[in-house]
């Protein structure tokens, strides 16, 4: 669940529990069984982590007891369902509202997501937009011979909204 990564000399705790949600929706139980609040705090101490960087707002919300314990800054990055469909659930919105004061910072991928989080109570000044597009201006058009093979690599779930059918 928790992995230490050295980035520019800063130890970061990265949690990736969304997979557990998809596998069976047992995130809370598995957090207690696999790591637990006490163990997460121990990992932070052993690693001498300077920052808890938590992928997905839903994961950060599940870690509320941990966020209350750790004594380092914490950042949650929102992208995907944690910033869209989760906001339709009053239960998630309640958790998010409890979580926002515990986070040092929130990262989102676009202005609409920032607006959604502000609308449910996240302080605007805590949010940074970190846009991750490929920047197509860096890849100018190059004519290719007819019938030339073009190869694409696309990393995403195989669902319609990801646009695999276009490629």
């Amino acid at each position: 669940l928790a992995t230490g990564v050295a980035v520019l000399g800063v130890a970061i705790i990265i949690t990736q529990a969304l997979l557990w949600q998809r596998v069976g929706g047992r995130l809370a139980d598995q957090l207690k069984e696999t790591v637990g609040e006490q163990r997460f705090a121990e990992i932070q101490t052993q690693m001498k982590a300077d920052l808890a960087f938590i992928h997905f707002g839903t994961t950060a919300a599940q870690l509320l007891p941990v966020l209350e314990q750790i004594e380092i800054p914490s950042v949650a990055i929102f992208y995907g369902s944690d910033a869209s469909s989760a906001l339709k659930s009053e239960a998630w919105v309640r958790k998010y509202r409890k979580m926002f004061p515990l986070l040092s910072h929130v990262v989102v991928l676009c202005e609409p997501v920032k607006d959604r989080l502000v609308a449910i109570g996240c302080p605007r000044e805590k949010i940074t937009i970190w846009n991750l597009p490929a920047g197509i201006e860096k890849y100018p058009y190059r004519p290719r011979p007819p019938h030339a093979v073009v190869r694409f690599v696309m990393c995403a779930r195989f669902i319609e909204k990801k646009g695999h059918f276009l490629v």
Side-chain angles (χ1 to χ4, degrees), residues 22 56-58 78-90 92-93 96 108 110 112-114 116-117 120 157 159 161-162:
R22 292 219 172 101
F56 307 112
T58 48
F78 285 73
Y79 50 99
S81 64
D82 60 343
S84 57
S85 61
L87 299 179
K88 296 174 185 173
S89 161
E90 190 54 42
W92 280 117
V93 171
Y96 284 4
V108 299
C110 62
V113 171
K114 180 178 181 177
R116 286 183 219 144
L117 295 184
I120 64 164
R157 292 177 292 146
I159 59 174
K161 72 178 184 178
K162 300 296 181 179

Side-chain angles (χ1 to χ4, degrees), residues 17-92:
L18 183 65
L19 175 62
W20 289 353
Q21 290 175 314
R22 292 219 172 101
V23 169
R26 300 181 309 270
L27 175 62
D29 291 339
Q30 289 191 355
L31 279 172
K32 291 174 188 167
E33 292 172 17
T34 306
V35 175
E37 298 164 21
Q38 181 68 31
R39 180 67 183 124
F40 194 90
E42 289 170 13
I43 290 168
Q44 177 240 317
T45 302
Q46 290 170 0
M47 290 176 40
K48 296 178 178 46
D50 299 302
L51 173 73
F53 190 88
I54 305 166
H55 281 259
F56 307 112
T58 48
T59 302
Q62 290 288 359
L63 292 172
L64 277 170
V66 173
L67 291 172
E68 291 168 344
Q69 285 185 20
I70 61 175
E71 298 176 1
I72 58 174
S74 55
V75 176
I77 183 166
F78 285 73
Y79 50 99
S81 64
D82 60 343
S84 57
S85 61
L87 299 179
K88 296 174 185 173
S89 161
E90 190 54 42
W92 280 117

Side-chain angles (χ1 to χ4, degrees), residues 154 156-165:
M154 186 168 180
R157 292 177 292 146
F158 287 106
I159 59 174
E160 186 177 355
K161 72 178 184 178
K162 300 296 181 179
H164 294 284
F165 63 93

Side-chain angles (χ1 to χ4, degrees), residues 96-160:
Y96 284 4
R97 287 180 178 146
K98 290 179 185 174
M99 173 189 67
F100 292 141
L102 301 173
L103 293 173
S104 305
H105 209 74
V106 174
V107 177
V108 299
L109 299 182
C110 62
E111 193 70 39
V113 171
K114 180 178 181 177
D115 293 342
R116 286 183 219 144
L117 295 184
V118 168
I120 64 164
C122 185
R124 184 174 293 281
E125 62 275 5
K126 276 193 177 185
I127 303 174
T128 296
I129 297 174
W130 185 11
N131 201 332
L132 300 176
I136 60 171
E137 66 280 351
K138 295 178 185 175
Y139 304 95
Y141 173 76
R142 291 183 307 178
R144 290 178 178 80
H147 309 293
V149 175
V150 178
R151 292 190 175 97
F152 294 93
V153 175
M154 186 168 180
C155 301
R157 292 177 292 146
F158 287 106
I159 59 174
E160 186 177 355

